[in-house]
Amino acid sequence: HKQIFGSTMFSQALLRSRVVQRSLLAASRRQAALSKRSKRNFCTAKTSEATAKTANPAPPPPPGNQGGGSGMYLIGLAALAGGGYYFKDEISKQLGIGAEKVKSEIEIDSGKLKEELDKVEAKIKAAVPVIEEKVEEIKTDAKETVKDVVEGAKEVDYDAVRAAIVDILDADDYDDGSYGPVLVRLAWHSAGTYDKNTKKGGSEGAAMRFSPESAWDANAGLHVARAKLEPIKAKFPGITYSDLWSLAGTVAIEEMGGPTFKWRPGRKDHDDSHEKLPDGLLPDADGRDKLDKPSDHLRDIFYRMGFNDKEIVCLSGAHALGRCHEDRSGFWGPWTYAPTTFSNEYYRLLLEERWSKKRTHKGGEWKGPEQYENPSGELMMLPTDMALVWDEKMLPYVKEYAADEDKFMADFAKAW
């Protein structure tokens, strides 16, 4: 009772039970007095009989059957019965109230849940048209992009662009008489940022037009190549910078004696707001953090782009072209005696010349970064060039290309 109705109600129950108990107790006492008088009369008449039985007394009655105890037992039962009967309606009432309260709370919680679900459903319904609209926009943009690329390709006369590139290659006042090698370097450094896993970087975007990529140490001096191509871009505005740079390097290799490539347009340019690439995507000539084994540095860079060891050696053959500049990379000198001719001479020289660290330069001490030179000091090799003959897995490919120029040309056309 106390747990269900509280201490006050329980006290009321006890009080009412005691009223019933007192009434029953008074009746019991009257019955006990009459019984006592009857017993005295009975004992006087039967004295002789009681004396006779003294020697063999009967066993005492059980404690529960003695006069006063029996009355109180009945009184307790009556009190409990009376109290229970008196409170049956109250108990039912209180239990009913508790059940109604629980039911009410459940209904409230269910109502709140339904209300929240209705809100979520409404939001979803409201979002569906927006999502469908965005999907249609994406489809439309994709179609327009494809259309732009196709129409742009139709509008550009790529044969005329090729001819314009050929016209700017020869220049008596630049390096070894040709802009070809620096255009090859521009195309390569534009493509060499590619990451096969993230699909970011590469020729797409022509991000070298903007900072910070234009200011990377690896791209020092490439402003010359970009500026040289600007008149062609102005003459053929339909071509993207991405396509122009790629095509310029390709045409330069072909014009300097290299293989014929299957080149195609379609690269798009990004604006300056596009995600910037991190520095360090292009190889360092000294091997960067792999100074003791620069071939592993080359693997770090080229594997990221999806190349293997053979393709690393093959693409390195482009060092048959051009030279290094102290005011750009800090290194100095050409790799071969014919820096404007694409050939397998690079591999032959790697194997046949004796290469040692450069100590002097133009009669003085060499103060530039570590590089290697042949006995005459006219040619040079970078640490990452020497890595191709130092690495036991790459050396066989160097020997293969040194012995077979046709094989080198064919493999380069595929790798480029």
Side-chain angles (χ1 to χ4, degrees):
H1 283 198
K2 186 175 181 181
Q3 291 176 349
I4 299 175
F5 305 115
S7 59
T8 301
M9 188 172 291
F10 183 68
S11 300
Q12 293 174 353
L14 286 177
L15 180 62
R16 289 166 181 163
S17 296
R18 285 168 183 168
V19 172
V20 177
Q21 289 176 7
R22 283 197 294 271
S23 300
L24 292 173
L25 183 59
S28 178
R29 284 175 178 172
R30 286 195 296 273
Q31 182 182 1
L34 290 174
S35 177
K36 188 175 182 180
R37 287 196 296 270
S38 297
K39 284 183 179 181
R40 282 201 300 269
N41 294 335
F42 181 79
C43 288
T44 302
K46 298 291 183 177
T47 301
S48 58
E49 184 178 351
T51 302
K53 292 181 178 181
T54 302
N56 299 295
N65 293 329
Q66 294 179 9
S70 176
M72 291 304 296
Y73 180 71
L74 291 174
I75 290 170
L77 288 177
L80 290 174
Y85 179 80
Y86 181 85
F87 281 103
K88 66 180 179 63
D89 292 336
E90 185 69 21
I91 293 171
S92 299
K93 179 181 178 183
Q94 293 296 330
L95 289 175
I97 291 173
E100 288 298 325
K101 184 178 180 181
V102 172
K103 181 180 178 182
S104 175
E105 290 178 353
I106 291 174
E107 290 176 349
I108 291 172
D109 290 342
S110 298
K112 290 180 178 178
L113 178 60
K114 186 177 183 304
E115 182 180 344
E116 292 299 323
L117 290 175
D118 290 342
K119 290 180 180 179
V120 172
E121 184 179 3
K123 290 180 179 179
I124 292 173
K125 288 181 178 179
V128 168
V130 177
I131 294 173
E132 290 177 345
E133 183 180 350
K134 290 295 182 184
V135 170
E136 289 302 319
E137 288 180 3
I138 292 171
K139 289 181 179 179
T140 301
D141 290 343
K143 290 179 181 178
E144 290 178 352
T145 299
V146 173
K147 183 179 178 182
D148 290 343
V149 171
V150 173
E151 291 182 352
K154 290 180 179 178
E155 293 173 358
V156 177
D157 183 347
Y158 289 99
D159 288 336
V161 175
R162 282 177 172 270
I165 292 171
V166 172
D167 286 343
I168 67 169
L169 292 180
D170 293 337
D172 293 337
D173 59 346
Y174 185 76
D175 273 358
D176 300 291
S178 174
Y179 280 98
V182 75
L183 292 179
V184 173
R185 182 166 169 250
L186 173 64
W188 156 233
H189 280 221
S190 177
T193 58
Y194 181 68
D195 188 318
K196 68 175 183 179
N197 297 315
T198 65
K199 309 302 181 186
K200 295 179 181 180
S203 296
E204 182 92 355
M208 204 190 304
R209 291 172 294 151
F210 312 113
S211 179
E213 192 168 330
S214 61
W216 290 353
D217 288 344
N219 291 332
L222 289 179
H223 65 284
V224 174
R226 298 195 299 270
K228 193 66 178 177
L229 293 173
E230 279 299 328
I232 298 177
K233 180 68 170 74
K235 185 176 181 180
F236 302 94
I239 191 171
T240 63
Y241 281 100
S242 303
D243 276 345
L244 179 58
W245 294 356
S246 173
L247 181 58
T250 301
V251 170
I253 292 174
E254 291 176 346
E255 290 297 312
M256 290 186 287
T260 300
F261 301 96
K262 294 180 179 180
W263 183 92
R264 63 182 180 182
R267 300 161 190 81
K268 295 187 299 180
D269 290 340
H270 298 153
D271 58 31
D272 196 17
S273 64
H274 195 269
E275 179 184 0
K276 300 298 188 291
L277 297 173
D279 195 359
L281 297 176
L282 296 168
D284 284 348
D286 61 359
R288 196 176 298 170
D289 56 341
K290 306 286 174 49
L291 300 180
D292 294 336
K293 194 176 182 182
S295 56
D296 282 347
H297 169 60
L298 291 176
R299 289 187 174 99
D300 291 342
I301 300 297
F302 283 81
Y303 283 9
R304 187 204 69 230
M305 290 185 275
F307 293 113
N308 56 36
D309 283 358
K310 185 174 185 178
E311 290 165 328
I312 293 173
V313 175
C314 184
L315 289 171
S316 296
H319 279 175
L321 302 172
R323 63 172 58 240
C324 290
H325 303 77
E326 289 181 81
D327 60 340
R328 298 177 185 177
S329 64
F331 299 96
W332 177 88
W335 286 270
T336 70
Y337 289 110
T340 61
T341 300
F342 194 88
S343 68
N344 67 337
E345 189 72 358
Y346 168 78
Y347 303 108
R348 188 186 67 78
L349 292 169
L350 266 175
L351 295 174
E352 296 179 5
E353 289 281 356
R354 289 188 301 107
W355 300 98
S356 59
K357 287 184 180 180
K358 186 175 180 63
R359 304 295 184 185
T360 61
H361 183 60
K362 297 179 180 180
E365 181 183 1
W366 171 246
K367 296 182 179 180
E370 180 181 315
Q371 69 175 68
Y372 294 78
E373 62 181 6
N374 66 343
S376 68
E378 297 177 87
L379 303 179
M380 72 94 200
M381 290 288 172
L382 303 169
T384 46
D385 295 314
M386 298 304 300
L388 304 185
V389 293
W390 293 339
D391 189 281
E392 60 181 11
K393 292 182 179 179
M394 293 183 175
L395 178 59
Y397 301 122
V398 175
K399 293 179 178 179
E400 179 181 6
Y401 292 142
D404 191 341
E405 185 174 69
D406 290 339
K407 174 63 173 173
F408 164 58
M409 294 286 187
D411 287 352
F412 190 91
K414 295 177 183 177
W416 178 262

